[in-house]
């Protein structure tokens, strides 16, 4: 098969943007597998003083054939339907969106770098052709409260994700969601 990717990033920071946009997409065609897979992820951020408003829309799935389990799409995990466990909802296609509001509450001490932020995220997502969580029909929602920022060991977040249909999670997340 073949794989095509595109990545346009106009964010002002690599990990913790305050303004800009990002468009990331990929298309995979499996010549022998009888399927293809497309994924599009759009993000934007804008700051208003010490507040940052961020948004994300993502869609993924197959135009031809069914995605095999080993190449399926998934939702669940920090800022990916945070009220569910990482990759808890697996299936053939997905639609996801979130809106985040963050407030810069300080900066790390001298010699270190990055903003420290308190944030709230409202999330919604749907997985069609589910291989797991087959009883979860329709759109799922999640709300997440967190504190985090860029530290010497990378992006670090401490938060809580709630979903009416999920398992609800406390997070200590190190990395980029």
């Amino acid at each position: 098969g073949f794989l095509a990717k595109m990545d346009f990033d106009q964010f002002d920071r690599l990990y913790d943007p305050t303004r800009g946009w990002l468009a990331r997409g990929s298309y995979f065609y499996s010549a022998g597998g009888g399927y293809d897979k497309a994924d599009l992820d759009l993000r934007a951020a804008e700051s208003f003083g010490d507040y940052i408003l961020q948004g994300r829309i993502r869609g993924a799935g197959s135009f031809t054939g069914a995605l095999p389990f080993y190449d399926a799409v998934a939702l669940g995990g920090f800022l990916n339907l945070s009220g569910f466990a990482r990759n808890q909802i697996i299936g053939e296609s997905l639609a996801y969106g979130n809106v985040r509001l963050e407030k810069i509450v300080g900066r790390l001490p001298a010699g270190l770098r990055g903003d420290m932020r308190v944030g709230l995220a409202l999330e919604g997502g749907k997985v069609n052709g589910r291989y797991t969580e087959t009883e979860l029909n329709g759109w799922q929602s999640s709300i997440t409260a967190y504190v985090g920022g860029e530290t010497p060991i990378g992006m670090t977040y401490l938060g809580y994700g709630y979903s009416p249909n999920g398992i609800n999670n406390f997070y200590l997340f190190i990395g980029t969601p």
Side-chain angles (χ1 to χ4, degrees):
F2 73 87
L3 173 66
K5 287 188 170 191
M6 64 126 191
D7 194 349
F8 299 104
D9 187 339
Q10 294 295 308
F11 279 137
D12 62 346
R13 296 183 187 175
L14 182 61
Y15 298 116
D16 216 1
T18 59
R19 67 184 52 196
W21 59 272
L22 174 142
R24 194 173 280 154
S26 67
Y27 177 79
F28 173 72
Y29 176 74
S30 175
Y35 74 97
D36 63 358
K37 181 180 178 182
D39 195 331
L40 181 63
D41 192 359
L42 305 172
R43 302 175 190 213
E46 186 60 49
S47 64
F48 304 94
D50 284 345
Y51 292 91
I52 297 118
L53 182 64
Q54 296 189 45
R56 178 181 181 200
I57 298 172
R58 179 176 175 228
S62 178
F63 295 114
T64 59
L67 290 179
F69 186 80
Y70 58 83
D71 201 14
V73 296
L75 285 178
F78 184 65
L79 297 179
N80 195 38
L81 277 185
S82 303
F84 294 86
R86 186 172 186 272
N87 297 335
Q88 181 177 346
I89 310 170
I90 301 171
E92 293 182 9
S93 67
L94 68 80
Y96 170 80
N98 78 23
V99 175
R100 295 166 46 190
L101 181 63
E102 298 177 335
K103 175 159 178 33
I104 298 173
V105 294
R107 295 200 43 89
L108 289 172
L112 304 176
R113 61 176 191 223
D115 299 331
M116 295 306 294
R117 301 178 183 192
V118 172
L120 184 68
L122 302 175
E123 306 172 87
K126 180 179 181 180
V127 176
N128 293 320
R130 289 176 308 282
Y131 302 138
T132 63
E133 304 299 334
T134 56
E135 74 285 351
L136 288 178
N137 294 318
W139 287 85
Q140 303 302 312
S141 61
S142 186
I143 186 167
T144 308
Y146 57 93
V147 61
E150 192 171 352
T151 70
I153 60 171
M155 296 303 296
T156 304
Y157 298 92
L158 181 63
Y160 175 73
Y162 169 79
S163 177
N165 296 324
I167 60 173
N168 305 318
N169 292 301
F170 285 98
Y171 286 97
L172 171 58
F173 188 90
I174 300 172
T176 54

